[in-house]
Amino acid sequence: MSFEIFKTSSIGFCFGVRRAVNALYDTVAKGHGRKIYTLGSIIHNAAINTDLQKRGVRIVDSVDEISPGSTVFIRTHGVGADVYARLSAAADADIVDMTCPKVKRIHSIAQSTDNLIVAGDAAHPEVIGIVGNAAGFYRVVKDENELRDFLSVDFDPHLKYVFVAQTTFNVERFMFMRSITDEYDNIEAVNTVCTATSERQKQVDILAREVDAMLIVGDPGSSNTRKLYEIASKYCEAYLISSAGELPKNLKKYKKIGLSAGASAPDEMIEEVIINMMNENDEKVLTEDDIDFAAAIDASMKIIRNGQRVTGVVTGINNTEVQIDLGAKHSGFIPKEEFDADEEPVKVGDEVEAIVVKVNDSEGVVQLSKSRIDAIKGFETLSQAKETGEICTGKVMQVVKGGLIVSVNRTRVFVPASQAALTRNADLNAMVGSEVRLRIIEAEMKGRNSRIIGSIRSVLKEEKEAKAKAVRESLEVGKKFTGTVKSLTNFGAFVDIGGVDGLVHVTDLAWGKVKNPADVVSVGDVVEVEVKSFDPETGKISLVYKKQEDNPWNILSAKYSVGDIIDSKVLKIMPYGAFVSVIPGIDGLVHISQIADRRIDKVSDVLTAGQTIKAKIINIDYDNKKVSLSVKDASDDIDDAEQDNGGSEPEAE
Ligand code: F3S
């Protein structure tokens, strides 16, 4: 009896592990003469670790064991900020940071959060690395019970918390724990569970129900591999093997055997297992040298079926369809209109990926869809972007009910109106046709339809915060900024100087008395302001709008001196004298004793508000900002001058 082998599509190295292992082998191959260390095993796979050690790679647990002038690999789990700092300080250390981008994303959340809650195993290296990057308080909770304990004992309702998960945490459990935190407005939960893990678990869960036995390939020391084995064991006989040599002897008793592998199982190991299974199956004895491995695996699997993802080669093109050789007894075709006119035209010999839409056994043809695979690939790319938090670029296609449709790599992304801009009342129609940067915040497959939601606001907010941070860090008293007036109050104007608002107090708007800030500036005005003071603790910034060159005391000093006679308007009558205008922004006092040569009882007997008089500047007190004037002296000086002029003129007769 022979058996069929069914393999999960998600199998072996995840992208993070593949990236790290490839980089390490590349570095070893280049052999640049430096000693190569990995801080902890780069992968949970004894065979690979032994191979690496044979090639001279040293696996160490501590920075202290690394000699100067070495190349040091940080594995996908990442490390805490202290370890990174120690490595950077180590003499001439060449650091190759292979922390998985998905773990890096958690590090950056931890670095920008004052209070962090992590769902995970506190002793796991990834979690140790995450909390080692925490900017402030952190708490690791392994399950909902520990989370509830924390919420009822140590939780401070006045603080803001961010709740994340170890990437390999069980996604259902995290969602349940997240539903508990949903009741707290001050906890923001971010799903950081890696879909590479959950997707693989889901596939094993489905496949194990359909087969008689499951083989899980991987190292027993790898937690994600053990998890796959546990899932498979629930539905059928399951075997965890770390090499082809551990294949069970009695495989022929099964009709259908499922195969999957943990994230640390290399392709070669999986291939070796499949080859051995095929040999066991009394088929032609194959070796790695004489088989097209991919074709052999496909041949061992079921015939082409609806919904299957296939790759074929273009054999012909006519007006209506593109014919595809699938390397099977059926030939395939894709309707011509499914090829995007904007792409390079397809040619005979090109390799094309597609989804099987309909198998017609009697005619031996298979209808394929390229647009569906494009949609799936688009979904996969955007799901990945969601996991890593990567910023995507897209074009706004149209305004729809509730938001925008943005095309990102030819995949439709819905952006709710609330996520389309920084402000809620943005003109969405004006955005049509523009290129935007956005972050994917939801990517979900519902049947054949994908639901992808993006946020432009998240990118704009982040950019604004980064700009604001840079502005705050560059603040110095006296530094000038160009800003925009954002709002006016009766005590001054708030000015945005680059994502940060500062206050220009009413006394700093102009040199003279300002009754209403709106008399000087309006909302939306672009103004140049100078930093008067700032408080790094409270973040309060005081700005000055009035300019030194407009300082009336400087103007006064340049224009007038003591002894000058000026034309001046009487502004206010007081019992002890009269206030008169000197220049705009400076008023002076004519004391009652300086109004006339004779004694006067009341100022108003001689002067009236609004009257223009000649007055002589008799004192300028720059320190106390006071000007004294005399009408009496001015009048005497004018009389003297007239007499002088009269005496020098010739007699009329
Ligand atoms: Fe792998 Fe990175 Fe996920 S290392 S399991 S892709 S978090």
Side-chain angles (χ1 to χ4, degrees), residues 14-17 76 100-103 126 167-168 194-197 224 263:
C14 63
F15 100 97
V17 169
T76 56
C100 178
K102 296 180 183 187
V103 178
E126 181 190 323
T167 54
T168 47
C194 172
T195 48
T197 308
N224 77 76

Side-chain angles (χ1 to χ4, degrees), residues 155-432:
F155 175 71
D156 183 340
H158 303 104
L159 299 176
K160 282 203 172 309
Y161 293 81
V162 178
F163 180 36
V164 296
Q166 184 181 340
T167 54
T168 47
F169 200 73
N170 181 287
V171 71
E172 277 84 26
R173 168 158 267 157
F174 180 71
M175 287 310 185
F176 178 63
M177 291 165 77
R178 179 186 180 150
S179 70
I180 297 172
T181 63
D182 280 349
E183 291 163 25
Y184 297 80
D185 285 346
N186 54 333
I187 304 181
E188 184 196 348
V190 185
N191 181 0
T192 51
V193 176
C194 172
T195 48
T197 308
S198 55
E199 182 57 31
R200 189 173 313 211
Q201 291 173 2
K202 217 185 296 168
Q203 289 185 3
V204 168
D205 194 287
I206 294 168
L207 184 57
R209 296 167 200 248
E210 304 294 327
V211 295
D212 307 312
M214 273 298 294
L215 296 181
I216 306 294
V217 184
D219 193 292
S222 148
S223 66
N224 77 76
T225 307
R226 281 200 311 274
K227 181 76 193 165
L228 296 180
Y229 171 71
E230 280 164 28
I231 294 170
S233 306
K234 285 198 275 183
Y235 306 109
C236 63
E237 277 193 68
Y239 301 88
L240 197 169
I241 58 170
S242 59
S243 70
E246 293 178 15
L247 267 174
K249 298 282 174 252
N250 53 355
L251 287 180
K252 281 188 176 173
K253 71 176 180 179
Y254 304 114
K255 276 188 179 164
K256 295 175 179 174
I257 300 176
L259 180 73
S260 191
S264 48
D267 294 348
E268 300 74 33
M269 185 188 283
I270 302 166
E271 288 169 12
E272 198 189 346
V273 167
I274 295 177
I275 290 166
N276 277 271
M277 288 171 80
M278 292 169 73
N279 290 345
E280 175 82 3
N281 219 8
D282 291 339
E283 294 191 10
K284 177 175 176 274
V285 178
L286 300 167
T287 68
E288 283 184 62
D289 294 327
D290 65 4
I291 63 167
D292 171 347
F293 188 74
I297 294 171
D298 283 346
S300 76
M301 302 207 32
K302 287 181 77 76
I303 58 166
I304 291 169
R305 61 194 187 281
N306 289 350
Q308 192 176 338
R309 193 168 171 160
V310 290
T311 302
V313 176
V314 176
T315 52
I317 302 168
N318 61 31
N319 287 345
T320 56
E321 64 189 35
V322 174
Q323 288 125 23
I324 310 288
D325 176 8
L326 294 169
K329 57 181 181 172
H330 294 76
S331 50
F333 69 92
I334 301 174
K336 188 101 176 280
E337 67 266 17
E338 290 206 10
F339 287 83
D340 197 325
D342 294 341
E343 281 182 80
E344 203 181 313
V346 65
K347 310 180 295 297
V348 171
D350 283 355
E351 199 169 79
V352 177
E353 221 186 330
I355 291 285
V356 177
V357 177
K358 198 169 175 194
V359 180
N360 187 333
D361 280 326
S362 57
E363 292 182 19
V365 291
V366 178
Q367 184 181 341
L368 305 168
S369 170
K370 180 174 175 300
S371 55
R372 274 178 54 190
I373 195 86
D374 286 346
I376 291 170
K377 282 183 179 171
F379 175 78
E380 287 171 350
T381 309
L382 295 181
S383 296
Q384 184 74 27
K386 181 198 155 228
E387 292 305 322
T388 58
E390 177 193 326
I391 295 172
C392 307
T393 304
K395 188 173 176 186
V396 180
M397 305 308 289
Q398 63 185 119
V399 178
V400 291
K401 192 173 170 220
L404 297 170
I405 296 296
V406 177
S407 170
V408 181
N409 291 338
R410 293 195 299 280
T411 304
R412 283 163 69 89
V413 177
F414 174 64
V415 176
S418 62
Q419 297 296 323
L422 275 177
T423 52
R424 287 188 176 266
N425 47 5
D427 179 1
L428 299 190
N429 287 310
M431 295 175 75
V432 175

Side-chain angles (χ1 to χ4, degrees), residues 64 93 97 127 185 237 267 306 376 379 405 444 465 514 538 542 573-574:
D64 300 330
D97 187 358
V127 176
D185 285 346
E237 277 193 68
D267 294 348
N306 289 350
I376 291 170
F379 175 78
I405 296 296
E444 219 187 327
E465 283 167 2
V514 176
T538 61
S542 297
I573 304 294
M574 304 299 287

